[in-house]
Amino acid sequence: LHIAILASILSLIIYWLIRDSHRVRSLSGKHVFITDCDTGLGKSLAKWLDKKGFCVIAACATEEGGQELRLCSSLSLKTVNLNLADSNSIARAVVFVTQETAGKGLFGLVSNAEGTAPVAPTDWLRIEDFHSVLDVSLLGLIEITLKLLPLLKKTEGRVVNLINAKGLMALVGGGYSLSKWGMEAFSDILRIEMQHFGVKVSIVEHGFLKTGIVNSDVIERDLLRLWNRLTPEIRDSYGEQYFVE
């Protein structure tokens, strides 16, 4: 019994030593770039890392979102406008990050985005409905990651991709789940490739957060809009009762 207790204590000590060896030291001067910081998880993370002492560069989709974030953060936190569906906007944000890091490189990239995705059966949708989410939450995040990799290699930094776990459950049609599974695959491949450069790539699958995205009124309005634009053939194949239920 005494040997078992001693072994348990030693195991805990070893665990603590290993855990503490992975803690980030000297946070001052380390730059972290975070996408989608207007609201929700991105905004909360930007504020938390700012308080910890990181040099946070927060990307916001609107000027109002950036202004609100600056008002509740330290002077070291910087914001930049970013539209992940626009390559020119991405290029401007990369220039801003490059200037802010002043040759030091980027310590961390936190990718987080929730594109607008209609919730409906697949054959109710058009290709533009898929683009509305994939261009932001998959292709946009991939593009900005690719363009920031040189800065991450300089510091042997890390990429952290935040993925909403609800998107990993294929319950409805559209591009939402596709974007999340796509980011999972992209992250897994990038992790293997970046090991050579000392860049770490992680996935954080977070749970269901209370955000404006989950809104039954919005979902119902979207469903009605999509139903009304269906061809008579598709609408008849479902029947009026399907939509009512």
Side-chain angles (χ1 to χ4, degrees), residues 100-173:
E100 285 295 319
T101 54
K104 298 177 183 177
L106 188 62
F107 178 76
L109 164 63
V110 182
S111 290
N112 169 54
E114 296 284 334
T116 304
V119 177
T122 300
D123 63 345
W124 291 26
L125 303 173
R126 298 172 182 170
I127 193 63
E128 55 264 30
D129 297 317
F130 286 85
H131 277 295
S132 69
V133 61
L134 293 176
D135 287 351
V136 173
S137 298
L138 179 59
L139 298 177
L141 291 180
I142 289 175
E143 183 174 355
I144 200 161
T145 301
L146 296 177
K147 290 186 175 179
L148 289 175
L149 280 178
L151 295 179
L152 290 159
K153 288 179 181 179
K154 277 189 176 183
T155 64
E156 295 189 351
R158 61 266 291 126
V159 177
V160 180
N161 290 324
L162 305 181
I163 297 175
N164 197 322
K166 72 182 179 185
L168 302 177
M169 297 180 287
L171 300 177
V172 293

Side-chain angles (χ1 to χ4, degrees), residues 231-244:
T231 63
E233 181 183 5
I234 294 178
R235 195 182 300 171
D236 290 344
S237 72
Y238 282 89
E240 294 283 348
Q241 192 61 31
Y242 180 91
F243 180 74
V244 172

Side-chain angles (χ1 to χ4, degrees), residues 165-182:
K166 72 182 179 185
L168 302 177
M169 297 180 287
L171 300 177
V172 293
Y176 189 78
S177 290
L178 292 177
S179 70
K180 303 310 174 188
W181 281 108

Side-chain angles (χ1 to χ4, degrees), residues 141-238:
L141 291 180
I142 289 175
E143 183 174 355
I144 200 161
T145 301
L146 296 177
K147 290 186 175 179
L148 289 175
L149 280 178
L151 295 179
L152 290 159
K153 288 179 181 179
K154 277 189 176 183
T155 64
E156 295 189 351
R158 61 266 291 126
V159 177
V160 180
N161 290 324
L162 305 181
I163 297 175
N164 197 322
K166 72 182 179 185
L168 302 177
M169 297 180 287
L171 300 177
V172 293
Y176 189 78
S177 290
L178 292 177
S179 70
K180 303 310 174 188
W181 281 108
M183 282 304 294
E184 288 263 342
F186 174 70
S187 302
D188 289 341
I189 294 166
L190 191 65
R191 182 183 305 113
I192 296 169
E193 295 173 342
M194 288 296 110
Q195 283 180 350
H196 175 73
F197 302 99
V199 176
K200 301 176 180 65
V201 179
S202 303
I203 299 169
V204 176
E205 295 175 357
H206 60 83
F208 293 80
L209 302 174
K210 189 175 182 181
T211 67
I213 295 170
V214 181
N215 186 317
S216 59
D217 291 335
V218 173
I219 293 173
E220 187 174 341
R221 187 169 65 246
D222 245 358
L223 279 172
L224 183 59
R225 175 180 64 84
L226 295 172
W227 173 263
N228 288 334
R229 80 175 189 188
L230 290 178
T231 63
E233 181 183 5
I234 294 178
R235 195 182 300 171
D236 290 344
S237 72
Y238 282 89

